[in-house]
Amino acid sequence: MTPSLSHLAALQRVSREAFHTLLSTPISREQKDDGSWVTSADVGIETLLREWIRKNFPDHSIRGEEFADESGSSPYTWILDPIDGTEDFSRGIGTFGTVVGILHDGKSVGGFFDFPSLDFSVVSFEGEGIQEHSRDQRDHPLRDAPLICLAPLEAFQRSGEEEISFELQRAFPKHRILYTCYSMALAATGRVSATVEWNLSLWDYSPIESMCVESKKAFEWIRKTGSPKSECFVAGNSQVVEQISTLLR
């Protein structure tokens, strides 16, 4: 079976319901070997996402942050990050989100970002466009004013590239520092001009490339390695993406 926008929208609803159900139970947390945190909510949400995918697409492969890969015979692979921004979630900061992406023979073709605490979600699939849900339906007159998102300094420090962060901050003094997929959702929907993401893993960003195509935004790799915590890119308004890419070349 071929996935579609309606399938992704259905899974986004499953994810949202799972989150609210898990919040009614005590949440435990522990630290992984790499120093990052995982909670019982991460594990519970990914478990439910995998169950839904197995039921609806039993021959598809699944890769997630919290469990081992599952191989299938289909060219489709689902990429799962149940809670991107576990530390934000643990602190009660609402910019954490669930990330689901679909790859077809390794190419990004769809997915969603969902932010339960903000009641905000963005869903897209190749050739079917993008669907956005937000409580805030106002016109936003400042959306055309330049404003970019930047990965936090620690992301650049991971590879000894903190000077790049300083250079970007000097070049774009009007910016916001964001650590989660929230910045990508803002760029895909035009709420910010662009986002600069640094040293990420596949499950952190899996739907953004195809989402930019569907929302008529630009996407450019700065560094694509195929390795965890090392991939860098810019996404958003084409003119601003070109400005940033030129600066970084």
Side-chain angles (χ1 to χ4, degrees):
M1 179 188 276
T2 302
S4 67
L5 187 67
S6 62
H7 290 119
L8 281 163
L11 184 56
Q12 180 267 320
R13 292 190 294 271
V14 168
S15 173
R16 180 74 65 91
E17 290 167 6
F19 173 80
H20 289 303
T21 299
L22 287 164
L23 275 191
S24 65
T25 64
I27 302 294
S28 61
R29 72 170 189 164
E30 62 183 39
Q31 204 162 17
K32 299 181 190 178
D33 293 341
D34 65 1
S36 62
W37 290 96
V38 60
T39 70
S40 53
D42 293 82
V43 174
I45 292 170
E46 184 167 326
T47 298
L48 290 170
L49 293 174
R50 285 173 178 263
E51 288 174 354
W52 187 93
I53 295 166
R54 286 191 211 106
K55 178 181 177 181
N56 290 277
F57 301 96
D59 61 337
H60 288 197
S61 299
I62 305 174
R63 292 182 62 187
E65 187 172 12
E66 309 305 340
F67 295 101
D69 294 354
E70 299 180 34
S71 297
S73 58
S74 167
Y76 288 100
T77 301
W78 295 71
I79 311 297
L80 312 177
D81 188 351
I83 299 181
D84 181 61
T86 299
E87 185 172 346
D88 286 12
F89 167 68
S90 299
R91 291 176 180 271
I93 300 171
T95 49
F96 65 88
T98 298
V99 186
V100 171
I102 303 177
L103 308 182
H104 182 267
D105 286 332
K107 176 192 172 188
S108 172
V109 294
F112 67 76
F113 298 116
D114 184 51
F115 306 93
S117 289
L118 304 177
D119 192 19
F120 174 44
S121 62
V122 188
V123 186
S124 74
F125 192 76
E126 187 175 57
E128 294 191 74
I130 185 168
Q131 289 182 353
E132 172 190 343
H133 170 80
S134 173
R135 287 179 299 192
D136 185 354
Q137 298 296 327
R138 299 172 298 152
D139 289 330
H140 296 82
L142 289 179
R143 281 198 182 186
D144 292 334
L147 175 66
I148 72 166
C149 287
L150 292 175
L153 180 60
E154 65 180 293
F156 294 88
Q157 288 175 325
R158 194 177 297 147
S159 51
E161 296 174 301
E162 50 267 39
E163 185 53 43
I164 293 176
S165 174
F166 302 144
E167 187 175 5
L168 287 165
Q169 291 181 56
R170 288 191 293 267
F172 297 90
K174 203 166 188 61
H175 62 266
R176 300 290 184 269
I177 305 292
L178 289 173
Y179 193 59
T180 70
C181 60
Y182 187 50
S183 55
M184 293 176 240
L186 296 179
T189 57
R191 286 171 165 78
V192 298
S193 308
T195 185
V196 181
E197 304 293 338
W198 216 257
N199 286 328
L200 296 186
S201 302
L202 175 60
W203 44 75
D204 297 319
Y205 66 80
S206 56
I208 186 60
E209 190 170 3
S210 59
M211 195 172 281
C212 284
V213 173
E214 296 304 312
S215 61
K216 296 180 173 56
K217 298 293 189 293
F219 179 96
E220 184 162 337
W221 287 106
I222 302 300
R223 182 166 64 230
K224 184 172 174 59
T225 65
S227 300
K229 297 185 177 182
S230 64
E231 301 200 298
C232 313
F233 59 84
V234 187
N237 174 282
S238 58
Q239 184 175 0
V240 179
V241 167
E242 178 60 28
Q243 285 180 268
I244 295 170
S245 299
T246 300
L247 182 67
L248 296 178
R249 288 188 190 118

